[in-house]
């Protein structure tokens, strides 16, 4: 396993630790704690992979990246983009199966996980552009010509935005329980903007709990622990999620500013999906028990809007929003089936 590009980061952590070693920290997290938590998750990977920070041109930060089986094949690679409050470590149930056929790339979105956490603009259009351009800068740095671009939840919303601007870089767009598609009635839109505001931080409670935050996470999200029980019989995954989200709020502020009441998007993607170039094939994958906020009917609606284009919709039974972890074997098999005939 190569862990390139991290030595300088370690030096930075050592310097910061020396300066603040005598200070009490209310929230028990740090860059080092997140790094350690992620390493515990990736420890089960028993084949070649690389991890490194990928710098974004124009001094726009860097994205923490993992490449699984990087020399396995010359086929178009998978590029997986996680959802809100997540990180690349949560693909742990998928990398072994999916990286056997083609390289598997994953990165922490800007503002999430171990990636840079920039100041978030106020306007929705500027926020979306920030994410889209960070993905494109990452692609250029990785020297990828085409991608099978896979986005879950908030990641699905962002890669849909990316597909509108850079369709020629996508061989297939796969949206896994994507957030941000359903429309919101106008009255609720007006009320939602008043109630939620535009600077909300959805994980403030986790940070406000300070040293009690890890315990709060363990008590409130036991369901996530159960999804990964075949890999970890302890709180490894919940510890990772805590450290992903207990740090400086950046990506979550972006999400809050793109969201209205009831978890709906300010600019619903269903109103814009027609803007994706017709040559881009799109596959939707939903969990049978996903929430109304996601609304699995959006895939069929997109199919109607994009008549004459390739749009396919799959529902995985006995799965909820984290479909890739609820039914990993079925999800992995479906992904391989969808991409079976692709170069």
């Amino acid at each position: 396993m190569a862990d390139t590009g991290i030595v300088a980061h370690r030096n930075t952590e050592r310097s910061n630790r020396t300066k603040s070693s005598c200070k009490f920290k209310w929230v028990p997290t740090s860059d080092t704690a997140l790094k350690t938590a992620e390493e515990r998750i990736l420890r089960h990977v028993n084949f070649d992979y690389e991890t490194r920070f990928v710098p974004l041109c124009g001094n726009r930060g860097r994205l923490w990246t993992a490449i699984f089986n990087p020399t396995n094949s010359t086929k178009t690679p998978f590029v997986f983009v996680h959802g809100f409050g997540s990180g690349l470590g949560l693909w742990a149930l998928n990398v072994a199966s999916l990286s056997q056929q083609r390289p598997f790339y994953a990165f922490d979105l800007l503002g999430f996980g171990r990636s840079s956490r920039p100041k978030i603009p106020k306007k929705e259009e500027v926020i979306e552009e920030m994410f889209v351009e960070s993905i494109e800068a990452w692609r250029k740095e990785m020297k990828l010509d085409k991608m099978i671009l896979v986005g879950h939840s908030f990641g699905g919303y962002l890669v849909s935005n990316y597909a509108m601007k850079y369709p020629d870089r996508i061989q297939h767009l796969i949206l896994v329980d994507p957030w941000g598609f359903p429309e919101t009635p106008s009255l609720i839109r007006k009320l939602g903007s008043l109630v939620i505001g535009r600077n909300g931080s959805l994980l403030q409670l986790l940070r406000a709990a300070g040293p009690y935050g890890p315990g709060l996470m363990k008590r409130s999200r036991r369901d996530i622990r159960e999804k990964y029980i075949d890999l970890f019989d302890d709180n490894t995954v919940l510890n990772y999620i805590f450290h992903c989200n207990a740090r400086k709020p950046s990506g979550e502020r972006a999400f809050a500013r793109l969201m209205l009441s009831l978890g709906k998007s300010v600019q619903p993607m269903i109103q814009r999906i027609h803007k994706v170039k017709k040559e881009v094939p799109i596959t939707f994958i939903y969990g049978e028990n996903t929430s109304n906020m996601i609304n699995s009917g959006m895939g069929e609606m997109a199919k109607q809007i994009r008549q004459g284009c390739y749009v396919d919709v799959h529902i995985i039974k006995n799965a909820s929003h984290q479909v890739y972890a609820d039914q990993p074997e079925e999800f992995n098999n479906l992904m391989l089936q969808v991409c079976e005939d692709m170069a």
Side-chain angles (χ1 to χ4, degrees):
M1 176 187 74
D3 193 6
T4 58
I6 200 170
V7 175
H9 184 60
R10 281 177 174 162
N11 289 340
T12 300
E13 290 174 345
R14 188 178 300 115
S15 175
N16 290 340
R17 193 162 54 245
T18 301
K19 292 178 182 178
S20 60
S21 59
C22 296
K23 294 181 180 179
F24 171 71
K25 293 187 67 175
W26 175 249
V27 183
T29 191
S30 66
D31 291 346
T32 302
L34 176 55
K35 173 180 178 292
T36 301
E38 181 186 81
E39 287 175 344
R40 290 193 65 187
I41 285 183
L42 297 181
R43 196 175 297 164
H44 82 283
V45 177
N46 56 7
F47 50 85
D48 288 343
Y49 74 93
E50 302 172 3
T51 55
R52 63 186 175 98
F53 287 104
V54 176
L56 306 180
C57 63
N59 196 29
R60 288 181 288 182
R62 55 186 188 171
L63 299 186
W64 177 246
T65 300
I67 314 168
F68 300 91
N69 271 341
T71 60
N72 180 53
S73 172
T74 58
K75 289 185 176 180
T76 304
F78 285 121
V79 174
F80 272 65
V81 182
H82 65 78
F84 173 77
S86 185
L88 64 83
L90 293 188
W91 303 119
L93 294 167
N94 314 110
V95 294
S97 175
L98 298 183
S99 66
Q100 298 307 306
Q101 301 298 321
R102 60 184 75 239
F104 184 117
Y105 290 71
F107 59 83
D108 289 343
L109 281 164
L110 204 62
F112 292 95
R114 298 181 64 187
S115 292
S116 298
R117 298 191 172 222
K119 183 178 179 180
I120 301 301
K122 292 184 178 180
K123 293 184 178 181
E124 298 92 356
E125 295 85 356
V126 180
I127 294 173
E128 291 181 351
E129 182 182 13
M130 178 190 74
F131 280 111
V132 167
E133 294 306 324
S134 71
I135 295 172
E136 175 61 6
W138 176 89
R139 181 200 65 79
K140 287 180 178 178
E141 188 67 26
M142 300 304 293
K143 297 180 172 55
L144 300 179
D145 181 45
K146 290 270 193 177
M147 305 176 285
I148 298 173
L149 193 55
V150 185
H152 172 251
S153 192
F154 184 43
Y157 178 84
L158 295 177
V159 298
S160 297
N161 271 282
Y162 178 88
M164 285 189 278
K165 188 168 184 179
Y166 297 105
D168 295 337
R169 297 304 178 184
I170 300 175
Q171 182 160 333
H172 201 108
L173 182 64
I174 302 179
L175 305 176
V176 183
D177 236 57
W179 174 83
F181 272 74
E183 297 174 301
T184 304
S186 58
L187 177 60
I188 295 179
R189 286 176 63 87
K190 293 177 182 178
L191 291 175
S193 62
L194 292 174
V195 174
I196 294 181
R198 309 316 309 279
N199 297 305
S201 180
L202 300 178
L203 294 164
Q204 287 176 346
L205 179 60
L206 193 67
R207 287 183 291 274
Y212 304 101
L216 177 64
M217 173 65 73
K218 293 169 187 175
R219 289 191 297 273
S220 62
R221 296 315 308 263
R222 291 172 181 168
D223 60 310
I224 294 182
R225 170 177 168 163
E226 291 302 312
K227 299 176 194 295
Y228 291 84
I229 198 67
D230 288 344
L231 290 182
F232 315 106
D233 59 0
D234 56 14
N235 291 309
T236 293
V237 169
L238 294 181
N239 186 49
Y240 171 69
I241 295 174
F242 170 79
H243 289 296
C244 278
N245 293 293
R247 299 165 72 237
K248 173 186 174 183
S250 176
E252 70 183 82
R253 284 182 175 165
F255 181 71
R257 292 176 185 176
L258 294 172
M259 183 184 70
L260 279 176
S261 62
L262 305 178
K264 302 295 179 65
S265 170
V266 174
Q267 300 186 70
M269 189 55 63
I270 196 65
Q271 298 175 352
R272 299 184 282 165
I273 196 66
H274 68 279
K275 296 181 180 180
V276 177
K277 194 175 180 179
K278 65 179 182 179
E279 287 80 11
V280 175
I282 303 177
T283 294
F284 289 83
I285 301 176
Y286 290 99
E288 179 184 33
N289 303 317
T290 195
S291 68
N292 290 331
M293 179 178 71
I294 299 298
N295 190 346
S296 60
M298 290 295 100
E300 291 296 337
M301 187 176 293
K303 183 182 289 188
Q304 292 299 315
I305 292 171
R306 293 177 60 82
Q307 289 189 18
C309 306
Y310 181 94
V311 179
D312 201 7
V313 182
H314 298 270
I315 307 291
I316 293 184
K317 292 185 176 181
N318 300 315
S320 58
H321 185 50
Q322 285 85 21
V323 55
Y324 58 90
D326 287 323
Q327 299 294 338
E329 184 174 356
E330 187 170 351
F331 174 82
N332 294 340
N333 288 339
L334 177 57
M335 289 289 295
L336 294 175
Q337 176 187 326
V338 168
C339 303
E340 186 176 10
D341 297 325
M342 296 183 198

